[in-house]
Each structure stands twice: as structure tokens, then as C-alpha cells.
């Protein structure tokens, strides 16, 4: 991770915007791939786990969604529904 916390947060936010753009345009497979890419770089990004869980849930992949939401909870995130 970058040593400067602000750079770390800004990097995740910028990446999440791209994933959210895919999601908003209905490109759910691309959004899923992008969220997994973010997690390969920033595995402790709880909000990314939430976003990935929502994609899985939308696709009917409830077991995968539950695992993603559990990971987000472990990182201290509350899951908005």
C-alpha cells in the first residue's frame, strides 16, 4: 500500500468510480471483473467487497454474495440494503 493514507484512499475511490460506471451502464460482468481487480490490489477495501457482493446478489449468486458481505463485515463495514 502507498505510505500516504490519502493516496491510498484516493486510489481506491478512483478505481471504485470505474467499477460503478460499469455497474450503472448494466455491464455487470465488467463491474465484477473490475471489483475483483481492485481487491487483488487492495484486499482490505471493505466497500469493494460490498459492491462485489451486490453484483453477486443481483446475479443470483447468493453464496458468493454472502461470502463477500461477510468479508466486508469483518473489515468493519455495515452492509446497506
Amino acid at each position: 500500500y502507498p505510505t500516504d493514507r490519502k493516496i491510498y484512499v484516493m486510489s481506491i475511490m478512483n478505481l471504485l468510480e470505474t467499477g460503478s460506471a460499469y455497474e450503472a451502464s448494466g455491464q455487470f460482468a465488467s463491474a465484477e471483473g473490475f471489483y475483483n481487480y481492485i481487491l487483488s490490489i487492495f484486499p482490505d477495501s471493505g466497500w469493494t467487497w460490498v459492491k462485489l457482493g451486490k453484483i453477486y446478489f443481483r446475479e443470483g449468486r447468493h453464496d458468493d454474495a454472502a461470502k463477500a458481505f461477510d468479508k466486508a463485515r469483518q473489515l468493519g463495514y455495515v452492509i446497506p440494503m
Side-chain angles (χ1 to χ4, degrees):
Y1 297 127
T3 55
D4 182 344
R5 178 84 176 146
K6 184 175 180 180
I7 292 171
Y8 169 77
V9 170
M10 288 176 60
S11 296
I12 292 175
M13 289 176 61
N14 288 335
L15 291 169
L16 280 170
E17 285 179 19
T18 302
S20 293
Y22 282 129
E23 193 173 348
S25 67
Q27 299 179 57
F28 301 117
S30 294
E32 176 186 341
F34 207 79
Y35 294 143
N36 278 309
Y37 168 72
I38 295 168
L39 291 169
S40 74
I41 301 168
F42 303 107
D44 293 335
S45 173
W47 189 242
T48 305
W49 284 106
V50 170
K51 300 285 279 178
L52 184 60
K54 286 183 172 188
I55 293 287
Y56 288 154
F57 190 82
R58 177 177 282 146
E59 294 176 339
R61 296 167 55 189
H62 299 131
D63 289 341
D64 290 333
K67 290 175 187 173
F69 292 146
D70 285 344
K71 181 65 177 176
R73 278 191 209 97
Q74 290 170 8
L75 294 167
Y77 283 77
V78 176
I79 311 304
M81 292 292 168

